[in-house]
Amino acid sequence: MRVGVVTFPGTLDDRDAQRAVRLAGHEPVALWHREHDLQGVDALVLPGGFSYGDYLRCGAIAALSPIMTEVVDAANRGMPVLGICNGFQMLAEAKLLPGGLVRNASGLFVRRDQRLTVERTTTPWTNGFEPGQEIVIPLKNGEGRFVSTKAELERIEGEGLVAFRYAGRNPNGSMDDIAGVSNAAGNVVGLMPHPEHAVELGFGPDTSTRMRSGLDGLTIFALALEAAAA
């Protein structure tokens, strides 16, 4: 598959996302935020970072970038779209995903290896996992607290839109321990932890098996997209 990775001013994990796509056996396609051409890609990744310096509100300015017109159209046509951290914030700001992300309850930037429970496995990005499977991927954010109105939260939970939930410890005070959500169709997924940093031995998170061995992020880029392409 050809997977577009969009770079915005202030993005810093775009090369990592491209490398993750390549290690997963797919072709990464670098896209620039001012373009209106998705170059025929089959899926999209909005990577993490600090788009536009995170001024105003994280992801709010990037959500109005020229390329987001095409991202929204493609998502509404069913193209798989993954938002990681700042990319998750963009997708929420663009109303492609429910809820929003605000400053961590502690007020602190958090960096840690994070345990997650995979809740929804019927999306192109999560169908390589088993329901309830626990994975470990790195987390790094200062504004990763998932929030929504009570009515919207009831809809999210009622319709099974939670894709990932924090396990063991909620690092930022997210409602219902939500670490990632999907849209109703399931093709759009956002999560705050960084799967692109858990795709190579020696560079992933520490696990119970051995240090720096976590490869759980590779499943999101490999098995899931392969299933979507089949």
Side-chain angles (χ1 to χ4, degrees):
M1 294 182 70
R2 285 166 51 83
V3 182
V5 179
V6 184
T7 298
F8 300 82
T11 296
L12 57 79
D13 290 318
D14 46 346
R15 298 297 180 91
D16 302 74
Q18 291 173 24
R19 182 171 176 79
V21 169
R22 188 177 299 111
L23 289 172
H26 303 288
E27 178 186 355
V29 178
L31 301 175
W32 180 236
H33 74 116
R34 292 183 63 84
E35 299 174 351
H36 280 286
D37 182 3
L38 296 183
Q39 301 184 30
V41 299
D42 305 296
L44 286 163
V45 175
L46 305 187
F50 303 93
S51 59
Y52 297 91
D54 275 352
Y55 294 118
L56 181 61
R57 190 175 59 242
C58 294
I61 301 176
L64 300 175
S65 289
I67 201 169
M68 288 303 292
T69 300
E70 281 66 35
V71 171
V72 171
D73 288 346
N76 288 334
R77 292 196 307 271
M79 180 181 289
V81 179
L82 176 67
I84 304 168
C85 197
N86 198 210
F88 183 10
Q89 294 161 340
M90 295 174 201
L91 294 176
E93 291 288 343
K95 306 302 181 187
L96 286 173
L97 290 174
L101 287 309
V102 300
R103 192 157 187 79
N104 295 343
S106 66
L108 302 174
F109 188 95
V110 177
R111 162 66 183 98
R112 65 196 306 261
D113 293 342
Q114 179 63 51
R115 291 166 51 208
L116 300 172
T117 301
V118 184
E119 298 283 337
R120 184 178 184 184
T121 59
T122 57
T123 85
W125 303 99
T126 61
N127 60 16
F129 300 107
E130 296 295 326
Q133 183 176 343
E134 187 171 294
I135 62 175
V136 180
I137 58 178
L139 171 85
K140 52 174 186 175
N141 66 69
E143 299 191 22
R145 178 160 56 104
F146 182 85
V147 295
S148 73
T149 63
K150 181 180 178 181
E152 187 175 42
L153 186 61
E154 289 177 352
R155 182 181 72 83
I156 292 169
E157 294 285 2
E159 296 181 6
L161 304 186
V162 178
F164 300 94
R165 215 182 293 273
Y166 295 117
R169 176 184 175 187
N170 184 333
N172 45 35
S174 289
M175 288 181 167
D176 283 8
D177 298 330
I178 292 174
V181 296
S182 68
N183 64 348
N187 61 300
V188 182
V189 171
L191 76 165
M192 287 310 297
H194 288 257
E196 77 278 18
H197 296 328
V199 296
E200 294 176 272
L201 285 173
F203 295 91
D206 298 340
T207 69
S208 58
T209 305
R210 59 176 178 168
M211 292 179 65
R212 321 299 294 172
S213 64
L215 292 173
D216 289 331
L218 191 61
T219 300
I220 293 177
F221 293 99
L223 298 179
L225 280 176
E226 288 171 8

